[in-house]
Amino acid sequence: MRSTRKKSKQQMESPTGLANPQVQIPEEPQESAGESAVVAVNGAAAVKITVRIAKARLHCPVCTLPLKPPVYQCAFGHLACGVCHLTSSGAGRCSVCGDGGGYARSTAMEDIVKSAKVLCPHDAYGCRTYVTYYEAAEHQRACPHAPCLCSEPGCGFAGTPAALRDHLSAAHSWPVDGIRYGAKLQLRVPESDPAQHWRLLAAGDDEGGEVFFLAVGAIRDRPFRVVSLVCARPGAAAAAGPRYACTIRAAQPSDAGEGSAESVVLEMAPVPSSAAPGATSIEEAASLVVLRRTLPPGAAPGEMHLTVRIDRIV
């Protein structure tokens, strides 16, 4: 019995002693050196064993990037990823210790890195996906649950679109207007109040809870206003759908006299999306150009009348 227990311990410590390991890293490994990640190993007997593996073991010691197949190893146990192996193969020496024997394929380590799973870094925002550790960065870039960012200077808030809506309303006093898809929303935007030039249009939870950024701005000293609309969501979520179409109509009093008005219309399909909607410049977004009226000195500031309709399309 004593020798059996000793052999089991050696198998846990040596990657070559693991038969078809299934490795999970429940939390994203930290970037600081010297820390460890908790790894759960399911052996062939389907017994779950929790061990600790230093996160550096899952990185190439040469380029420091996460290891992924193919993985190579020198006679003294130093590892190298496929790219670094090709780079050093001309010299025929290990890039770490300089051993002249070169590298050999390490299928045991490949089994480890292929089985290492990490919970998506965006789990706090709704993603419950475990991905292979060396694919975590790629998944993070394409994750539909990536947070949306606050565009107010100096504010580092990040959260879901609904959380960003509540944050901008409570912390930065952004006006919020409720919308229903297919229905017209009437807005009056005063020229003299810049705080009204950024608005949030929010759908109800029963309609998906999407949040849209409506911006009214000027481009330098040009004699017109520009109106744009952006949906607050990451690109991967936009690709997954649904898509949205929008019609914006802007009206101002015309020169023809009291009671008359002229209008311009913008139709967008689909509405552009961004995880940092407030940082999207007016020049980048599809925009409606509205001429500004020249007011005589002392006249009351003008007011832009907007009619917005957003439709949800498949």
Side-chain angles (χ1 to χ4, degrees), residues 30-89:
Q30 300 297 314
E31 292 299 327
S32 56
E35 297 186 7
S36 299
V38 179
V39 180
V41 181
N42 295 325
V47 177
K48 187 175 181 179
I49 304 172
T50 300
V51 298
R52 284 188 175 271
I53 295 180
K55 61 164 188 175
R57 302 279 185 179
L58 300 176
H59 287 249
C60 174
V62 183
C63 66
T64 71
L65 295 176
L67 287 166
K68 61 181 179 180
V71 179
Y72 296 87
Q73 187 175 26
C74 80
F76 292 92
H78 300 120
L79 300 172
C81 66
V83 174
C84 293
H85 165 256
L86 291 175
T87 302
S88 62
S89 61

Side-chain angles (χ1 to χ4, degrees), residues 265-288:
V265 178
L266 170 68
E267 294 182 350
M268 286 187 288
V271 173
S273 299
S274 174
T280 303
S281 68
I282 294 174
E283 292 92 336
E284 294 173 339
S287 303
L288 176 68

